[in-house]
Amino acid sequence: MTLPQQRPQGSPGPLDILRKTYGYDSFRGPQAEIIDHVIAGKNAFVLMPTGGGKSLCYQIPSLVRDGVGIIISPLIALMQDQVEALKQLGIRAAALNSAMPPDQQRQTERMLVEGEIDMVYVAPERLLMDDFQRLIDNAQIALFAIDEAHCMSQWGHDFRPHYAQLSQLAERFPNIPRIALTATADAPTRRDIVNFLQLQDGGSFVSGFDRPNIHYTIAVKDSAKQQILAFIKNNHAKDSGIVYCLSRQSVDDTAAWLCEEGFKALPYHAGLSADVRAKNQQKFLREEKIIMVATIAFGMGIDKPDVRFVAHMNIPKNIEAYYQETGRAGRDGLPANAFMVYGLNDSAMQRNFIEQSNAPDQQKRIEHQKLNALLGLCEAAHCRRQVILEYFGDKAKPCGNCDTCMSPPETFDGTVAAQKALSCVYRTGQRFGVSYVIDVLLGKADERMKKFGHDQITTFNIGGEYSKSEWQGIFRQLVALNLLAVDVAEHGGLFITPAGQAFLKEKMPVKLRKQETRKEARKALMKKEAEDFYGQEMNQPLFDALREARMVLAKEQNVPPYVIFHDKTLREMAVFKPTSRSALMEISGMGERKMDRYGQIFLDVIRKHG
Ligand code: ADP
Ligand code: ZN
């Protein structure tokens, strides 16, 4: 049904569309190449970090190619906002899903067949229905875009059975280009996507994973709540952000507590009713300065561009999850923060989850290794970004935009300390937790210790050169280095790993990071100001006034503010203060349609406050 297509002479090409419709100057990274490839009718696999600009890779080909682009997206609740964002640009887009009134569905179906729309967003369930497939047979289809394609794979963390069935597309519509997009990196997931969608002959476009605008900080946990509070107060008092917690209970507690502290915080977890979740999500998207406190149930498909921070009260299960979650910050490219607090209990908890899962042993071993890599990131004495990117197979230089780059931790020769720690674990029988072993090292005998005779062993009272908290830091690092491990089945007893045994035998040297003091941990906060982002001062009152004008428009139309303009667009206005239509047109994100609708309103605000 689809023929190779050629753009008719004189009709706009990708770059014209980018500039006139979207108001952007130039393509980013591999966008141009991917777009040309898909316009030529070829299949593609696109792996790009969150915020990398995946949407344009299927939107522009949908506009250039004849027919309608069918976008498969897992989240019905978010489709309407995606469609709304396109409509604001003057693009004819619609959604088709079971949440819509039947007559509206029929109208969209009619427009699809008549070729009156450019793009339609559908859930996979819909796409697989016979009725819908017959409908497509009668329509001209520009392409299929499979967004969040990792949902196809059982290896991915968001497996959806309907997504797996999308493998039918290749057989049923062999001549329509398929473009699969994801930000999830791991190899088995990638392999599944390529196999299921038969993309072997298509192009594979894998971008670097770096998110240079995100600043990473990982602090040693002393009081998670106070640390998170200080972080938000010092850096993000007026911003939207996400705080991730491990349990529903701690989500509820933390949200309530942040509200007491004067923030607008909302809870989100699977234990809340669907209604409450939808309402809280909607608020997060529609209003400003909301903090979403959530379990990992929250976040997929949220393309709110101005999430300024993501904070973790506990470590997630691996680096992939950490990167995915922190990646929800700063999609607009403006500076954003990822802040995590971490302690030894966290790793014990994650080990427990792995052990208690129903996964086969082989899988559990992999999960443990992935957790080890995350602990390595937490204890890294060099650039965090380097550790992350190297984990994904990318080479990187020290970034200058993470806590360890900005204030490099001091290291010391920890060989003797490690030897003492390991032999004390050994001599106490490899079944006691960290506190007990430290007490032995520090010679703090109590009744229990005397009963076991541990006040008589050779490692009793040999650790006086370090304080209790310094020893805690040492033990945490020895666990992260996998010389010691916590036996989760045995009440958190420490034992020596094979690597630890080798270390003792071969007397290898080991470098450890000095313990940060509490004060330093608090100070290790950062924000590259938006001002130096543009190399110019931003007029804050003007920015606030522009935000207000945007909120009025958003409320009138019942859409999220960022659908009208991104923060980035408003910030540029507040820096460059354009006063003519042609100057305003130069601002990033100002397309022709938005100029027509809103140009005058924002020019007036700039004249009044600028
Ligand atoms: P992804 O789906 O990969 O997470 P999006 O497609 O949502 O990313 O794009 C992230 C942000 O970057 C969006 O706000 C988008 O409008 C913007 N963007 C994408 N491509 C460009 C570009 N070439 N120039 C400027 N901004 C862009
Ligand atoms: Zn760095």
Side-chain angles (χ1 to χ4, degrees):
M1 148 129 261
T2 12
L3 305 165
Q5 295 186 359
Q6 231 154 29
R7 187 153 49 87
Q9 287 281 314
S11 72
L15 192 58
D16 298 326
I17 296 176
L18 181 77
R19 292 190 172 149
K20 294 201 173 119
T21 305
Y22 291 87
Y24 297 142
D25 276 350
S26 52
F27 285 113
R28 249 194 220 157
Q31 278 177 334
E33 201 191 336
I34 298 168
I35 289 168
D36 286 344
H37 180 90
V38 177
I39 289 175
K42 292 184 237 172
N43 299 323
F45 170 76
V46 175
L47 175 60
M48 234 186 233
T50 311
K54 286 186 281 299
S55 327
L56 289 186
C57 299
Y58 57 81
Q59 289 175 358
I60 293 187
S62 298
L63 294 172
V64 173
R65 285 178 64 84
D66 286 340
V68 43
I70 299 199
I71 324 302
I72 299 130
S73 161
L75 297 149
I76 293 179
L78 300 169
M79 272 181 197
Q80 208 46 49
D81 286 348
Q82 290 172 313
V83 167
E84 194 50 53
L86 289 168
K87 283 186 174 164
Q88 292 280 335
L89 298 171
I91 292 170
R92 302 175 306 171
L96 261 182
N97 60 53
S98 48
M100 293 165 43
D103 54 329
Q104 205 178 329
Q105 294 188 35
R106 271 193 300 279
Q107 194 196 350
T108 304
E109 287 171 2
R110 186 192 59 74
M111 296 201 311
L112 199 159
V113 175
E114 314 261 303
E116 289 170 13
I117 36 179
D118 302 309
M119 265 171 258
V120 60
Y121 283 75
V122 299
E125 297 82 313
R126 166 70 55 134
L127 188 77
L128 296 165
M129 289 175 188
D130 286 342
D131 281 0
F132 188 74
Q133 300 214 346
R134 272 195 294 280
L135 194 78
I136 304 184
D137 281 332
N138 294 318
Q140 183 158 26
I141 306 303
L143 56 84
F144 290 113
I146 300 92
D147 203 8
E148 313 280 2
H150 59 273
C151 294
M152 302 191 84
S153 170
Q154 302 236 29
W155 295 103
H157 34 81
D158 297 309
F159 177 61
R160 307 272 167 122
H162 280 116
Y163 251 75
Q165 293 174 33
L166 292 174
S167 51
Q168 296 170 21
L169 283 178
E171 275 110 50
R172 190 89 169 60
F173 306 98
N175 298 321
I176 300 176
R178 302 178 292 284
I179 168 171
L181 308 104
T182 179
T184 298
D186 64 62
T189 309
R190 255 152 90 170
R191 238 175 298 150
D192 277 358
I193 297 172
V194 169
N195 287 337
F196 290 169
L197 289 170
Q198 299 186 28
L199 302 175
Q200 293 84 351
D201 302 331
S204 178
F205 301 88
V206 178
S207 314
F209 294 103
D210 194 13
R211 299 286 311 279
N213 60 315
I214 299 181
H215 180 109
Y216 299 97
T217 303
I218 302 176
V220 174
K221 190 182 281 189
D222 53 53
S223 151
K225 274 179 165 181
Q226 291 303 331
Q227 286 169 291
I228 298 270
L229 181 67
F231 162 72
I232 298 175
K233 275 193 171 156
N234 292 339
N235 299 277
H236 296 291
K238 287 184 174 180
D239 293 333
S240 302
I242 304 173
V243 176
Y244 280 112
C245 305
L246 271 190
S247 69
R248 298 171 185 186
Q249 182 66 47
S250 74
V251 165
D252 290 335
D253 292 349
T254 309
W257 174 72
L258 282 172
C259 288
E260 278 166 31
E261 293 290 334
F263 293 95
K264 283 194 277 179
L266 298 170
Y268 191 105
H269 56 70
L272 296 169
S273 71
D275 263 8
V276 173
R277 271 180 297 167
K279 209 179 80 208
N280 288 355
Q281 175 170 300
Q282 187 81 342
K283 273 199 154 176
F284 181 66
L285 298 175
R286 302 275 148 121
E287 295 175 22
E288 291 182 333
K289 304 178 204 168
I290 303 266
I291 300 174
M292 190 63 114
V293 184
T295 58
I296 51 169
F298 178 75
M300 197 199 20
I302 298 285
D303 52 7
K304 183 175 168 61
D306 55 355
V307 176
R308 291 270 67 84
F309 70 91
V310 170
H312 281 87
M313 301 267 282
N314 308 89
I315 57 170
K317 62 178 187 168
N318 55 38
I319 293 185
E320 283 95 339
Y322 174 71
Y323 209 53
Q324 184 113 27
E325 285 152 26
T326 55
R328 295 183 178 129
R331 293 174 78 134
D332 54 12
L334 290 174
N337 268 312
F339 179 75
M340 178 159 79
V341 289
Y342 138 83
L344 198 52
N345 274 346
D346 285 297
S347 61
M349 250 188 304
Q350 290 291 357
R351 293 251 183 258
N352 230 339
F353 288 150
I354 298 173
E355 280 310 313
Q356 285 173 2
S357 77
N358 298 321
D361 283 354
Q362 162 76 4
Q363 183 64 23
K364 284 185 181 173
R365 262 198 301 281
I366 295 173
E367 299 293 334
H368 280 300
Q369 281 164 14
K370 288 185 164 193
L371 178 57
N372 289 346
L374 178 67
L375 298 179
L377 170 67
C378 295
E379 295 294 353
H382 65 290
C383 177
R384 308 270 189 209
R385 195 180 312 269
Q386 263 183 324
V387 177
I388 296 170
L389 294 178
E390 277 166 17
Y391 179 78
F392 291 127
D394 278 6
K395 281 259 163 295
K397 294 200 177 80
C399 74
N401 190 26
C402 72
D403 56 347
T404 48
C405 277
M406 285 169 78
S407 48
E410 282 181 60
T411 56
F412 67 100
D413 181 350
T415 313
V416 173
Q419 284 166 352
K420 287 182 180 178
L422 265 63
S423 38
C424 195
V425 167
Y426 181 74
R427 304 225 171 259
T428 49
Q430 309 198 59
R431 59 202 170 88
F432 291 91
V434 181
S435 306
Y436 185 86
V437 179
I438 292 177
D439 281 348
V440 175
L441 283 167
L442 292 178
K444 289 189 188 153
D446 58 7
E447 284 314 308
R448 186 161 80 125
M449 202 181 287
K450 285 182 189 149
K451 195 181 93 203
F452 289 122
H454 291 155
D455 57 340
Q456 304 296 323
I457 56 179
T458 52
T459 55
F460 181 76
N461 200 14
I462 57 164
E465 67 271 43
Y466 300 110
S467 69
K468 179 159 188 162
S469 88
E470 282 168 332
W471 275 116
Q472 281 168 338
I474 292 166
F475 274 95
R476 236 186 21 247
Q477 296 182 71
L478 295 175
V479 170
L481 288 168
N482 197 29
L483 301 180
L484 285 175
V486 179
D487 189 343
V488 282
E490 289 294 327
H491 311 291
L494 287 168
F495 66 95
I496 302 173
T497 62
Q501 286 160 8
F503 163 82
L504 280 179
K505 209 154 66 253
E506 288 156 35
K507 302 203 162 47
M508 289 177 287
V510 43
K511 260 204 164 22
L512 298 177
R513 186 183 159 137
K514 266 198 187 153
Q515 189 66 10
E516 288 169 280
T517 66
R518 197 177 158 127
K519 209 162 117 243
E520 278 165 346
R522 292 256 163 92
K523 195 180 65 185
L525 305 175
M526 37 22 224
K527 181 163 172 184
K528 278 214 254 164
E529 284 305 322
E531 282 83 316
D532 52 83
F533 192 69
Y534 294 110
Q536 289 198 39
E537 189 95 5
M538 181 181 80
N539 180 332
Q540 185 69 42
L542 173 57
F543 180 65
D544 292 341
L546 292 165
R547 262 180 146 181
E548 252 169 62
R550 177 179 67 177
M551 192 47 115
V552 171
L553 292 167
K555 286 232 162 97
E556 268 170 24
Q557 302 178 51
N558 191 23
V559 296
Y562 60 80
V563 159
I564 309 279
F565 285 121
H566 284 179
D567 274 5
K568 191 171 182 184
T569 303
L570 299 190
R571 278 189 185 272
E572 280 197 19
M573 288 186 203
V575 170
F576 300 110
K577 307 182 193 76
T579 50
S580 66
R581 290 177 78 83
S582 60
L584 186 59
M585 205 59 209
E586 295 296 306
I587 299 290
S588 169
M590 184 61 86
E592 284 178 347
R593 175 64 181 255
K594 288 190 175 173
M595 185 70 195
D596 288 346
R597 287 182 78 177
Y598 309 128
Q600 199 53 49
I601 297 171
F602 285 86
L603 281 175
D604 289 344
V605 176
I606 295 168
R607 283 205 195 101
K608 195 160 152 217
H609 298 267

